[in-house]
């Protein structure tokens, strides 16, 4: 018999049997809960469904509102233009409006106010889709602060990029020599102005060139949402205060007159009482003589 040929392959180890996979735990459903908890769970699920419908309608409403805003923004433009032309005829309209608005006034130093006396008008333009941002344009007459031709128009823009992050940019300000209000020198300030500078934040023009945190730029929002829609109401604030002051003075005068009348009446009553006392004393004296 021929010898058996031995295989050159190493012997294969026996396969070990894998332990059975653990059975997945049974998910807890509302059917497994007690009756009270079951009703509560079902109510929560229904609330979530209803809320999804509300959110869907809110998104739809936002789209419709955006279309309406875009429509009326275009319709407002001729009136904004006409208003700007009329405002340009009133000296110091812009600086007066800013000074009368507390949040803007807080940024204005003495030199800021002097520079803003050359501000002829401010315009706000929202971008076509509105949600992506807006631009604020500042128009100046020729002045001793801003260099030519940069005094004509300055602008600051606010943008939302595709990811929703806000950013801003502005035209560069070219200052005339020694007139950079963002770099005030204490050597050129007298004691009163130094004290005021210590109490005030940085220059208004520092805000104009600050792009560090566009999302927290409240001043831009104030100009766009509060001042720009109706600047006349802030320009007329002092006149309104004067009228209120006159009314208060008239009330004070009326109160003083009423007070004087009360004093006169009290004086008459006192005199009457004194006369009565004198009469009684006279009668007593006559009785004693008898």
């Amino acid at each position: 018999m021929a010898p058996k040929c031995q295989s050159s392959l190493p012997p294969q180890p026996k396969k070990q049997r894998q332990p059975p996979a653990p059975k997945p735990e049974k998910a807890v459903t509302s059917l497994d809960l007690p009756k009270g908890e079951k009703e509560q769970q079902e109510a929560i699920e229904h609330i979530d469904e209803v809320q999804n419908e509300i959110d869907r309608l809110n998104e739809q409403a936002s789209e419709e509102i955006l279309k309406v805003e875009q429509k009326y923004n275009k319709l407002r433009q001729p009136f904004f233009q006409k208003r700007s032309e009329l405002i340009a005829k009133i000296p110091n309209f812009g600086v007066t409006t800013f000074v009368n608005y507390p949040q803007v006034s807080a940024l204005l130093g003495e030199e800021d106010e002097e520079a803003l006396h050359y501000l002829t008008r401010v315009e706000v333009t929202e971008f076509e889709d509105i949600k992506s941002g807006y631009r604020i344009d500042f128009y100046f007459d020729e002045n001793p602060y801003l260099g030519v031709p940069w005094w004509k128009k300055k602008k600051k823009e606010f943008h939302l990029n595709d990811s929703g992050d806000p950013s801003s940019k502005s035209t560069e300000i070219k200052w005339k020599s020694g007139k950079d209000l963002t770099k005030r020198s204490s050597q050129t300030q007298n004691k009163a102005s130094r004290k005021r500078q210590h109490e005030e934040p940085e220059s208004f023009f520092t805000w104009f060139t600050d792009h560090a945190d566009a999302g927290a730029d409240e001043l831009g929002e104030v100009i766009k949402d509060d001042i720009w829609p109706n600047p006349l109401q802030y320009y007329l604030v002092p006149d309104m205060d004067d009228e209120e002051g006159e009314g208060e003075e008239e009330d004070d005068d009326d109160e003083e007159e009423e007070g004087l009348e009360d004093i006169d009446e009290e004086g008459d009553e006192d005199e009457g009482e004194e006369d009565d006392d004198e009469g009684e004393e006279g009668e007593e004296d006559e009785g004693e003589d008898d």
Side-chain angles (χ1 to χ4, degrees):
M1 291 179 64
K4 293 182 179 180
C5 295
Q6 294 183 350
S7 174
S8 62
L9 295 175
Q12 297 294 324
K14 293 183 178 180
K15 292 183 179 180
Q16 296 181 352
R17 296 182 60 183
Q18 297 292 332
K23 295 181 179 180
E25 295 182 2
K26 185 178 180 182
V28 178
T29 65
S30 59
L31 297 176
D32 302 321
L33 297 173
K35 183 177 180 181
E37 294 183 11
K38 175 183 176 182
E39 292 177 351
Q40 180 177 340
Q41 181 65 30
E42 290 177 349
I44 290 174
E45 292 173 359
H46 289 313
I47 290 172
D48 186 55
E49 292 174 0
V50 173
Q51 187 62 49
N52 288 336
E53 290 298 317
I54 293 173
D55 292 342
R56 184 183 63 80
L57 288 173
N58 287 341
E59 291 178 5
Q60 184 177 346
S62 297
E63 294 174 359
E64 295 296 327
I65 292 170
L66 181 60
K67 292 178 182 178
V68 172
E69 282 293 331
Q70 290 172 332
K71 173 185 175 181
Y72 281 94
N73 266 351
K74 291 180 180 179
L75 294 175
R76 293 187 192 108
Q77 294 310 310
F79 297 97
F80 284 149
Q81 183 63 34
K82 180 64 175 178
R83 188 182 69 184
S84 294
E85 293 172 0
L86 294 171
I87 285 175
K89 298 179 180 180
I90 302 175
N92 301 325
F93 185 97
V95 66
T96 303
T97 301
F98 283 168
V99 168
N100 290 341
Y101 196 99
Q103 192 168 345
V104 182
S105 179
L107 289 175
L108 302 180
E110 292 178 359
E111 288 185 295
D112 287 330
E113 290 186 27
E114 291 177 10
L116 289 174
H117 275 83
Y118 298 93
L119 179 67
T120 57
R121 69 181 190 271
V122 177
E123 294 182 352
V124 176
T125 303
E126 292 187 277
F127 299 146
E128 187 173 355
D129 60 355
I130 297 178
K131 293 189 296 183
S132 66
Y134 59 95
R135 184 182 73 246
I136 305 176
D137 296 323
F138 298 84
Y139 294 84
F140 290 85
D141 275 337
E142 186 173 2
N143 61 79
Y145 295 92
L146 303 174
V148 177
W150 294 274
W151 53 264
K152 289 184 179 180
K153 178 181 178 181
K154 313 299 297 180
K155 65 180 180 180
K156 185 169 185 176
E157 296 184 3
F158 298 85
H159 298 267
L160 283 177
N161 56 30
D162 295 337
S163 62
D165 296 326
S167 63
S168 64
K169 63 180 182 179
S170 61
T171 50
E172 182 184 2
I173 298 178
K174 295 292 186 180
W175 298 97
K176 291 185 177 179
S177 178
K179 294 294 185 177
D180 188 345
L181 299 184
T182 63
K183 299 177 181 178
R184 293 173 180 167
S185 172
S186 60
Q187 296 177 355
T188 61
Q189 305 282 336
N190 57 32
K191 291 183 179 180
S193 61
R194 280 205 302 270
K195 181 179 179 182
R196 182 174 181 181
Q197 181 185 1
H198 177 72
E199 294 174 350
E200 290 179 347
E202 294 179 325
S203 167
F204 170 84
F205 294 94
T206 301
W207 161 81
F208 188 84
T209 56
D210 181 12
H211 308 293
D213 190 0
D217 196 322
E218 296 180 0
L219 183 55
E221 294 293 323
V222 163
I223 295 174
K224 176 176 75 76
D225 296 332
D226 291 352
I227 296 177
W228 170 246
N230 186 4
L232 184 62
Q233 65 178 329
Y234 299 106
Y235 176 79
L236 297 176
V237 163
D239 295 335
M240 295 169 64
D241 291 342
D242 292 341
E243 292 176 2
E244 292 176 0
E246 290 174 1
E248 291 175 358
E249 289 176 2
E250 291 176 359
D251 293 339
D252 293 340
D253 292 340
D254 293 339
E255 290 176 1
E256 289 178 3
E257 291 177 1
E258 291 176 0
L260 291 173
E261 291 175 359
D262 293 339
I263 293 172
D264 292 339
E265 291 176 0
E266 291 176 0
D268 295 339
E269 291 175 359
D270 293 339
E271 291 177 1
E273 290 176 359
E274 290 176 0
D275 293 341
D276 292 341
D277 292 340
E278 290 175 358
E280 291 176 0
E281 290 176 0
E283 291 176 359
E284 288 176 0
D285 291 342
E286 288 177 1
E288 289 176 1
D289 293 339
D290 293 342

